Amino acid sequence: MKRLFMLLFVVNLSSVLAAQTGKDGKQGGGSVSDSLSLDEVVVEGARTYSRDNTLHILPTQAQKDASATGYGLLSRLALPYVTVDEVTKSITVPPNMGQLQIRINDIVADKHDLVALNPKAVRRVDFLQNPGARYGTDVSFVVNIVTDKAGRGYAVGVDVMQTLTAMRTNGDVFAKVNRGKNEFGVNYSFGYADMKKQKYEETADYLMPDNTVHAISRTDDAWRNKNLSHDLQLQYVLSDSSRYTLQAAFGGTLSRIPRNTRTRTEACGSVIEALPISSTDETKTASADLYFNYNLTKRQSLTAYATASYTSSDYSYAYGGSSPYSYTSLSRARALYGEAVYENRMNLFTLSAGAAFANGLTDVDYRGGAEAANSILTQGVYLFAQIKGQLACLSYTVGTGVSYRHYRQGSQRNDYWLWRPQLKLSWSPWRPFRLGYDITMTQKPPRLEYLGDAIVRNNPLEFTAGNPALRPNKVIEQSFTASLQLPSLYTQVMTVYRKSPDCSMMRIDRMVTCDGATYFLFTRTNQPAVNLFYVNNYTRYDLLRGKLSLNFMGGLYRCFNFGDDYQHHSSAFNWSAGADAYLGRLSLSAHVDNGWNFLEGETKNCQATVYYITASYRLGNFSLSLYWQYCFKNNVRTNTAELLNRYVHKTQTFYSGDIGNMISVGLSWRLSNGRKKDAVRRNVVRPTGDTGIIRN
């Protein structure tokens, strides 16, 4: 009898493990459950695991229940290098670490998708660093949220956030209806902020031609910034889940800064002057997206998408005093992007191949103190192919691509070709342990505002100029990763070395006019290199399974900057830590990090330490959230920058009393009928917001 009981136990345990393995026979597939109960025996799988050079995270039911939107769920997963702000609805990575791309079911998503996302339908979240040729020309991180498919029915919802200690509010309203193969959706979002407690302090030393130092201090007080935004998106989807998906999306956005005013006190020796500074900004965008996916066979698929956008931006800037200055600028930008990808899931490996093109024309006219008319044409083509497979305990991805970029502005034009190979290897001789190696080459083009030939005045001693001769540069990155994954613990150590030769860096020249006046010209040129080396650890530990989770990330970062006439090196330790507790309908979270400290070119940045706590309570279709940031601190130093140039040495510090001791309340409501599962689909490219205008 005892042997029979043991045999039945082994058979049941095998069936549980088979269920965890999923349809493809690999642990952590789409049907993984956090825990499966067999009478009195509970078998739990790892919530975090690596496979195919991808970090897979399986959200717990408690995390899903505690999250009202996709932003809430991602913030509780504590992804490496990723910062999620539920109040402002933003997801960012450190400023010098590359671009982040958010996808839902492998299709690029935007803010509307994350707000409308039903966290309960999320199966897993995939995190990729240096994702490869398949994901675009300049993408360093990809977060892909995998959800279940939607069924017949409807879903409507509202998500509103109001700050109680400052004038800031934002909200989203969405509705989706499914009927057979058709889905209709509408999303509307709005935002308003009126910040009145900002401050800026600067000390600047200018080395004059006679080797004397001209010292000036600048302080901006009574700084008020008012901004508002509206965004409307319409969607239509025609889908046969086994054959094809066709999606069309149309949208428009309006972003306005009707007031940005401050009073600057400028002191030079015994001379003190107060001067007003003001600016306004308005940007309007219209866009249309088209996405199509067709399954040629059970193993082959073809995906194509295209997006077109038109952006209009009006900006004005003025300051007074004894040397008044003002200018206005008008930008009109047209952009067209398209991509086609073929995928074949063969027995030995998966083959992906495709092509992408981009075409943009931006006209910027400057009037007033800056007279210029720029017409910037950019064109690009990208071809890629990669294979992805596994040999025993070795996973591999081998890819190659070639990118071409054409630029024309007046008489200035250039063409840039780059071969882009990539190799990713992952070796797991023992299932919980993995070693990975990755080498990739990417392309980084300059921003449009750097490419014009306009010159604007920042103050009587400083001018900023564009440089039409700027070229794109390549980025070569190698990384080595070691990770350990257990049911309640995931930890990884990553060592990375990144080289950016011939890259775009700030250059400051001391100029003397024919009448003997001296000024300093800030521009950008291609200079020898900006390199980065770092060793980083990311650890997540479930102290109480399903109840209390802890996370930590920390590393040593070494920056190497080689300019035409300087060398600057710097080291920094960057870290963050957090905790999440789930107590039935109530969830609590805490986060702290030291900001992000780095040196790029000749500018050393030190961001402020960030800390906040959140509490969320769910009751039926409603979710109430409370956010408390910078607790017990009224005035927050948000950033300190130091300019190390041989001609100009500066320290710049920004403060904000609006975000100090800030308390915000969020309310979410979602109602659905016959829509137990959810899937959000959107197109791949949204307007970048780069209008080519030089803004002070």
Side-chain angles (χ1 to χ4, degrees):
M1 190 68 181
K2 183 176 180 180
R3 292 181 178 178
L4 178 61
F5 175 79
M6 292 297 296
L7 179 61
L8 291 174
F9 174 79
V10 170
V11 171
N12 286 334
L13 180 60
S14 300
S15 65
V16 172
L17 295 176
Q20 281 186 300
T21 301
K23 295 180 180 180
D24 58 358
K26 298 178 182 179
Q27 187 179 5
S31 59
V32 175
S33 299
D34 295 322
S35 62
L36 298 174
S37 176
L38 292 176
D39 297 329
E40 297 181 358
V41 179
V42 177
V43 179
E44 294 186 337
R47 283 203 305 114
T48 305
Y49 63 96
S50 293
R51 189 181 67 201
D52 296 336
N53 301 302
T54 302
L55 177 64
H56 302 277
I57 301 176
L58 309 175
T60 65
Q61 192 60 45
Q63 289 174 325
K64 297 178 185 180
D65 293 339
S67 305
T69 66
Y71 289 100
L73 182 62
L74 292 180
S75 69
R76 288 170 174 83
L77 297 183
L79 300 173
Y81 310 107
V82 178
T83 300
V84 182
D85 191 331
E86 289 188 72
V87 178
T88 60
K89 293 184 173 62
S90 64
I91 304 177
T92 59
V93 294
N96 59 340
M97 296 287 286
Q99 299 295 319
L100 170 69
Q101 188 180 91
I102 305 294
R103 294 188 170 219
I104 298 177
N105 295 328
D106 206 32
I107 301 172
V108 170
D110 66 4
K111 171 185 174 181
H112 299 288
D113 301 322
L114 291 173
V115 171
L117 177 69
N118 183 0
K120 294 182 180 180
V122 176
R123 291 159 49 191
R124 72 174 189 272
V125 175
D126 300 338
F127 178 77
L128 299 83
Q129 186 171 358
N130 295 325
R134 167 66 181 84
Y135 292 92
T137 59
D138 57 352
V139 177
S140 299
F141 301 90
V142 170
V143 176
N144 183 36
I145 304 172
V146 181
T147 72
D148 293 312
K149 299 290 184 179
R152 179 185 177 91
Y154 67 86
V156 295
V158 178
D159 183 77
V160 179
M161 183 71 62
Q162 176 65 54
T163 298
L164 303 180
T165 54
M167 184 58 69
R168 181 167 68 179
T169 183
N170 61 73
D172 295 84
V173 181
F174 67 89
K176 291 179 180 290
V177 178
N178 287 79
R179 293 189 63 84
K181 297 181 180 181
N182 302 284
E183 177 182 283
F184 302 89
V186 59
N187 298 270
Y188 168 71
S189 67
F190 62 90
Y192 176 79
D194 190 0
M195 299 302 186
K196 305 176 182 180
K197 302 177 182 179
Q198 301 177 91
K199 186 177 180 180
Y200 169 75
E201 293 179 352
E202 173 188 313
T203 60
D205 295 326
Y206 300 93
L207 181 63
M208 309 306 285
D210 59 359
N211 286 329
T212 61
V213 175
H214 189 69
I216 297 179
S217 66
R218 302 180 177 97
T219 303
D220 293 356
D221 286 306
W223 194 339
R224 184 174 183 181
N225 186 302
K226 181 187 295 185
N227 62 78
L228 55 93
S229 63
H230 300 274
D231 192 336
L232 178 65
Q233 303 287 329
L234 304 176
Q235 302 173 351
Y236 170 71
V237 179
L238 176 64
S239 177
D240 183 332
S241 59
S242 62
R243 295 180 57 201
Y244 61 85
T245 297
L246 173 66
Q247 173 191 282
F250 307 91
T253 64
L254 169 64
S255 176
R256 293 184 61 221
I257 303 179
R259 179 174 181 178
N260 184 9
T261 60
R262 58 193 186 273
T263 300
R264 171 166 294 178
T265 301
E266 193 168 279
C268 179
S270 59
V271 179
I272 300 177
E273 182 181 14
L275 52 101
I277 300 177
S278 64
S279 66
T280 62
D281 199 348
E282 180 176 286
T283 300
K284 293 175 286 188
T285 299
S287 62
D289 303 333
L290 190 63
Y291 168 87
F292 181 69
N293 173 263
Y294 186 75
N295 294 321
L296 303 172
T297 66
K298 290 183 178 181
R299 294 177 176 267
Q300 301 180 74
S301 65
L302 179 65
T303 302
Y305 32 77
T307 181
S309 66
Y310 176 81
T311 302
S312 170
S313 185
D314 297 272
Y315 176 77
S316 66
Y317 174 81
Y319 69 79
S322 58
S323 179
Y325 175 78
S326 65
Y327 73 93
T328 62
S329 59
L330 176 65
S331 171
R332 299 293 182 261
R334 282 80 68 185
L336 179 64
Y337 180 90
E339 183 172 338
V341 178
Y342 167 77
E343 185 173 86
N344 191 340
R345 297 174 293 279
M346 304 178 187
N347 292 328
L348 296 179
F349 54 80
T350 297
L351 169 67
S352 299
F357 75 91
N359 190 301
L361 177 62
T362 303
D363 296 317
V364 186
D365 292 326
Y366 294 87
R367 295 291 182 266
E371 288 287 341
N374 294 329
S375 182
I376 303 174
L377 173 67
T378 58
Q379 297 174 321
V381 177
Y382 177 51
L383 307 174
F384 72 89
Q386 72 175 32
I387 59 173
K388 183 177 181 179
Q390 184 164 343
L391 297 173
C393 56
L394 177 68
S395 299
Y396 64 89
T397 300
V398 180
T400 186
V402 60
S403 60
Y404 165 73
R405 185 179 184 274
H406 171 74
Y407 163 79
R408 187 181 72 216
Q409 207 282 113
S411 61
Q412 181 68 44
R413 63 182 62 200
N414 61 57
D415 298 278
Y416 185 80
W417 289 88
L418 181 65
W419 175 55
R420 297 185 49 196
Q422 181 176 43
L423 173 66
K424 297 172 73 76
L425 300 174
S426 176
W427 183 53
S428 182
W430 171 47
R431 178 173 288 272
F433 180 70
R434 184 181 72 94
L435 293 174
Y437 172 75
D438 180 7
I439 180 170
T440 184
M441 182 184 297
T442 58
Q443 172 184 278
K444 185 176 181 180
R447 291 178 57 87
L448 290 182
E449 65 184 82
Y450 301 151
L451 291 171
D453 56 8
I455 301 177
V456 302
R457 192 170 94 180
N458 308 323
N459 56 59
L461 284 175
E462 299 178 13
F463 290 76
T464 296
N467 180 9
L470 273 181
R471 303 181 304 275
N473 66 275
K474 61 183 177 183
V475 180
I476 306 169
E477 183 169 308
Q478 297 186 70
S479 65
F480 180 80
T481 306
S483 65
L484 178 68
Q485 54 213 33
L486 299 173
S488 297
L489 172 70
Y490 178 85
T491 183
Q492 75 170 30
V493 176
M494 175 177 285
T495 302
V496 176
Y497 182 60
R498 178 190 300 165
K499 296 182 63 177
S500 302
D502 195 37
C503 61
S504 171
M505 302 168 64
M506 181 187 293
R507 179 183 177 90
I508 303 176
D509 292 314
R510 185 175 61 193
M511 315 294 289
V512 180
T513 64
C514 57
D515 58 0
T518 300
Y519 68 93
F520 298 85
L521 185 64
F522 290 64
T523 187
R524 302 186 74 90
T525 60
N526 290 92
Q527 300 184 51
V530 172
N531 301 333
L532 174 67
F533 172 81
Y534 64 89
V535 180
N536 183 281
N537 172 255
Y538 167 76
T539 298
R540 185 179 185 94
Y541 177 61
D542 294 331
L543 186 61
L544 297 175
R545 186 76 170 182
K547 298 293 183 182
L548 180 60
S549 178
L550 308 176
N551 63 83
F552 171 81
M553 186 178 71
L556 179 64
Y557 294 76
R558 180 68 173 170
C559 304
F560 306 89
N561 298 270
F562 303 94
D564 290 333
D565 53 7
Y566 66 84
Q567 293 186 17
H568 297 308
H569 307 325
S570 176
S571 298
F573 180 74
N574 297 314
W575 61 272
S576 66
D580 298 285
Y582 306 98
L583 310 172
R585 295 177 178 175
L586 176 67
S587 67
L588 303 172
S589 300
H591 174 85
V592 60
D593 68 63
N594 72 327
W596 191 258
N597 304 317
F598 66 95
L599 173 65
E600 185 170 281
E602 294 194 278
T603 302
K604 187 175 184 180
N605 270 281
C606 180
Q607 296 179 346
T609 299
V610 179
Y611 52 95
Y612 59 85
I613 59 175
T614 67
S616 300
Y617 186 80
R618 291 188 64 86
L619 182 61
N621 296 322
F622 290 89
S623 174
L624 181 65
S625 304
L626 179 69
Y627 302 84
W628 189 10
Q629 303 180 28
Y630 296 105
C631 315
F632 306 111
K633 190 172 184 179
N634 293 323
N635 197 31
V636 178
R637 178 187 61 81
T638 58
N639 189 79
T640 297
E642 182 180 9
L643 182 59
L644 306 174
N645 183 260
R646 59 176 177 167
Y647 294 130
V648 182
H649 180 269
K650 278 188 181 186
T651 58
Q652 301 167 286
T653 307
F654 295 85
Y655 299 91
S656 176
D658 297 285
I659 65 173
N661 206 28
M662 188 179 75
I663 299 176
S664 302
V665 175
L667 177 64
S668 296
W669 171 77
R670 176 188 292 269
L671 178 65
S672 61
N673 181 23
R675 194 181 169 94
K676 299 182 182 300
K677 300 178 180 180
D678 198 21
V680 180
R681 296 175 290 273
R682 285 199 59 84
N683 204 4
V684 63
V685 175
R686 305 299 303 161
T688 63
D690 189 354
T691 59
I693 293 177
I694 300 176
R695 289 174 167 86
N696 273 313

